[in-house]
Amino acid sequence: MRNNIDGHFLLIGLMAYPIRHSLSPQMQNTIYAKLNVPYVYLAFEVDQEKLPDAIKGIRALGLRGSAISMPNKQLVCQYLDKLTPAVELSGACNTISNDNGVLTGYNTDGMGYMRMLKEANINVIGKKITILGAGGAATAIVVQAALDGVKEITIFNQKDECYAKIEAVAKKLNQHTQCHVRVIDLDDKDQLRQEIATSAVLCHATGVGMKPLEGQSLITDPTMLNPDLVVTDCIYSPRKTKLLEMAEKQGCKTLNGIGMMLWQGAAQIKIWTGEDAPIEYVKEQMGFNN
């Protein structure tokens, strides 16, 4: 615990519902203490009904900014003054910076995922990624990967309310980037097998594998996974999902969502404070190296 908090400290929020389970406050405050910068990070349970007033509160109370999580990532965009290209293309924001009353929306989820790959010495630039999912995390990853120079992205999702939205994002990316993006029905298992076989990375970005779906996987046939494939899961609790267990048995290199969580938070801290986050220190303090 920091014992030097005084009237010069600024508040950074985390607005989502539910949110009390999040590891982000522990991570962020550990970093601020290590850097000895005057910021405190607190979680606020804010749903879509309360969000408009909460955004007004950022300006009224002079918060330095706020992280935004579900279910607010898309709705929040309409209340901000500026949006980065990644937010404009994805339609989702997970980070607000308050600069003298001007609120700018960023999305660091995709930045965190791409940095996680880089830190693991996985080069996907000019290569192909297959992504399972079309929600907020998946969309952010697709957009950032396309902006960073990934050559081809194939997205698989059920034909639910997210399907049309990710198709619209894919259309924008095909028009405005050099990346070829397409969306395919998750039920097409033959096509899924073909796309995975020609991909450098398989990215799972749905809630399947975490509570209440722990022990489940969208990939049920392990022969879809070849030893040259890198398999990543955006889930970090549990640290090893059913998919990652299956991939390890097939000889694949695997990464869980801890790295993405840490590096997207590091990107937020850079936006808010201008400082580089001591990620290795955080891993040690939070037991992520065990």
Side-chain angles (χ1 to χ4, degrees):
M1 290 292 293
R2 302 179 74 172
N3 57 11
N4 63 334
I5 295 176
D6 58 25
H8 296 286
F9 273 64
L10 294 178
L11 177 63
I12 296 172
L14 167 58
M15 299 179 182
Y17 189 89
I19 200 56
R20 299 303 181 196
H21 64 282
S22 175
L23 292 176
S24 291
Q26 181 185 356
M27 180 196 76
Q28 296 263 351
N29 287 311
T30 297
I31 291 172
Y32 298 146
K34 177 66 173 176
L35 294 174
N36 195 29
V37 292
Y39 296 93
V40 174
Y41 185 102
L42 295 177
F44 299 95
E45 292 204 318
V46 175
D47 58 17
Q48 291 188 328
E49 182 180 349
K50 297 177 181 177
L51 184 64
D53 287 337
I55 299 304
K56 291 179 183 177
I58 293 176
R59 290 189 173 96
L61 297 175
L63 272 69
R64 178 65 185 92
S66 182
I68 302 292
S69 194
M70 298 304 292
N72 301 320
K73 289 185 178 183
Q74 294 178 327
L75 180 62
V76 74
C77 295
Q78 64 186 281
Y79 304 114
L80 305 180
D81 302 306
K82 297 180 181 180
L83 304 175
T84 62
V87 175
E88 290 181 338
L89 287 167
S90 68
C93 163
N94 81 327
T95 306
I96 299 172
S97 175
N98 180 9
D99 301 293
N100 299 314
V102 177
L103 303 186
T104 301
Y106 300 80
N107 196 317
T108 67
D109 284 335
M111 296 164 65
Y113 181 82
M114 296 299 288
R115 182 65 183 270
M116 175 185 73
L117 294 182
K118 181 179 179 181
E119 293 297 320
N121 295 315
I122 299 166
N123 181 17
V124 292
I125 306 307
K127 299 179 182 178
K128 177 179 175 179
I129 296 178
T130 291
I131 295 184
L132 307 181
T139 303
I141 291 168
V142 169
V143 169
Q144 194 64 50
L147 291 173
D148 285 355
V150 170
K151 182 180 180 181
E152 186 177 350
I153 303 172
T154 305
I155 306 160
F156 283 88
N157 199 70
Q158 295 177 338
K159 288 206 169 181
D160 56 16
E161 67 277 4
C162 291
Y163 197 89
K165 293 179 181 178
I166 200 68
E167 282 187 312
V169 172
K171 184 177 180 180
K172 288 181 184 178
L173 292 173
N174 287 327
Q175 291 173 341
H176 298 290
T177 73
Q178 298 300 309
C179 184
H180 176 62
V181 185
R182 59 177 177 158
V183 186
I184 300 174
D185 189 345
L186 183 61
D187 289 336
D188 191 342
K189 301 303 181 185
D190 290 338
Q191 192 64 41
L192 177 60
R193 180 183 292 274
Q194 292 179 33
E195 297 300 321
I196 292 175
T198 56
S199 295
V201 174
L202 172 65
C203 170
H204 172 250
T206 83
V208 177
M210 64 186 294
K211 291 181 180 180
L213 303 174
E214 194 167 355
Q216 299 183 34
S217 172
L218 293 178
I219 302 292
T220 56
D221 183 353
T223 65
M224 285 189 175
L225 311 175
N226 64 79
D228 294 328
L229 184 70
V230 176
V231 179
T232 69
D233 200 321
C234 294
I235 293 170
Y236 60 77
S237 180
R239 295 193 190 183
K240 189 179 292 186
T241 59
K242 179 70 174 180
L243 173 62
L244 295 186
E245 288 180 353
M246 191 185 309
E248 283 187 357
K249 290 179 181 178
Q250 293 299 110
C252 304
K253 182 170 183 175
T254 62
L255 295 171
N256 63 24
I258 288 175
M260 177 178 171
M261 186 268 291
L262 290 172
W263 286 109
Q264 70 81 25
Q268 290 177 322
I269 288 167
K270 186 71 172 180
I271 291 166
W272 290 323
T273 73
E275 301 282 348
D276 294 320
I279 293 300
E280 291 304 319
Y281 172 80
V282 175
K283 286 181 181 179
E284 179 181 342
Q285 292 296 307
M286 296 183 69
F288 291 148
N289 288 328
N290 298 334

